[in-house]
Amino acid sequence: HVMKKVLLYFFCCSLFQITSAQLLTSVQKTVAKDGSGDYKTIQSAINSLPDSSATPRTIFIMRGTYREKIFIEKHNIIFEGEDKAKTTITQDIARDEWRCDHPDDWGVATMNVNGNDITLKNLTIANDYGFNVKESKVIDCKADTVTGKKTITNGGHQMALRTMMATRLKAVNCHFRAYAGDTVSPWNTTDGMFYFKDCSMEGGVDF
């Protein structure tokens, strides 16, 4: 009887540990454009999460083209696409135009990251400005203190991914696409750590 009680105790403890671990790692939000998931947009799924967590939270993104500008200021999140070739996040953003009205690059890219421990998997992240806008244009530009105008071309900087002070960002099996330079811009030069595996980066250069 003593042995049975001991075995039952260990079985219950093990079951509790397994169940607890599952609870800690099972937070998942599903994004689907057709409304079949928890959210229709990626940003709304991000906004639903607490700022941080001791364990990763997963946002699973169903196939589709998501025309969103993403802001990630929360920590420890996995963004996992259903299919790299068919799960695309895209915007058309010219950095020169953005900087006319903004003091820094926060918001200049399709995906803007200022959170730590972010993982990207099986996604295409694109800034398609140069592919979709062929003609140059002249705009009012507060940042130009001489003429107050700026010419925007399709060959200026266009960022698919821009990090600010983020660190420990990981991308696996992702495609990053832009027409011009700085497609992928992780610019935390102080303590930024960035890992890319089985990824492709498409764009121009500025050197």
Side-chain angles (χ1 to χ4, degrees):
H1 292 293
V2 173
M3 181 61 70
K4 287 181 179 179
K5 287 181 180 179
V6 171
L7 290 173
L8 181 61
Y9 171 77
F10 279 114
F11 173 76
C12 291
C13 287
S14 299
L15 183 62
F16 175 76
Q17 289 173 344
I18 293 170
T19 304
S20 298
Q22 289 174 336
L23 287 172
L24 285 172
T25 59
S26 63
V27 177
Q28 176 169 305
K29 307 290 185 180
T30 300
V31 178
K33 285 177 60 93
D34 63 4
S36 61
D38 301 305
Y39 300 93
K40 290 185 177 181
T41 67
I42 300 164
Q43 191 65 54
S44 60
I46 296 169
N47 295 345
S48 74
L49 297 174
D51 286 349
S52 193
S53 171
T55 55
R57 290 79 55 83
T58 298
I59 295 178
F60 185 77
I61 306 166
M62 303 291 285
R63 294 181 182 183
T65 299
Y66 297 84
R67 301 188 184 282
E68 298 185 53
K69 180 184 286 189
I70 306 298
F71 292 90
I72 304 168
E73 297 180 88
K74 300 182 179 184
H75 310 289
N76 216 353
I77 306 174
I78 298 168
F79 294 86
E80 182 175 356
E82 182 180 9
D83 183 312
K84 177 180 73 172
K86 297 180 179 179
T87 309
T88 301
I89 309 167
T90 183
Q91 281 278 283
D92 295 351
I93 310 160
R95 181 177 184 261
D96 288 343
E97 184 171 6
W98 172 264
R99 288 302 298 268
C100 280
D101 295 314
H102 300 86
D104 57 36
D105 273 356
W106 180 240
V108 79
T110 300
M111 180 172 282
N112 304 272
V113 183
N114 204 23
N116 299 329
D117 302 298
I118 301 299
T119 299
L120 311 174
K121 296 172 64 177
N122 308 331
L123 292 167
T124 293
I125 302 170
N127 183 341
D128 284 335
Y129 182 88
F131 294 106
N132 295 330
V133 181
K134 299 301 183 183
E135 300 297 325
S136 299
K137 61 181 179 180
V138 178
I139 64 169
D140 293 329
C141 184
K142 298 176 185 176
D144 190 317
T145 57
V146 179
T147 65
K149 302 285 184 180
K150 192 169 186 67
T151 300
I152 309 300
T153 72
N154 74 340
H157 294 83
Q158 297 154 33
M159 301 174 187
L161 173 69
R162 172 73 157 96
T163 75
M164 302 299 280
M165 296 307 295
T167 190
R168 295 187 301 277
L169 179 139
K170 178 170 65 175
V172 179
N173 192 38
C174 289
H175 178 55
F176 300 93
R177 180 179 73 227
Y179 181 80
D182 289 353
T183 303
V184 176
S185 300
W187 278 352
N188 181 355
T189 58
T190 304
D191 57 4
M193 292 183 284
F194 309 102
Y195 177 78
F196 295 86
K197 180 182 179 183
D198 299 329
C199 292
S200 57
M201 301 176 190
E202 173 186 351
V205 295
D206 55 1
F207 57 85

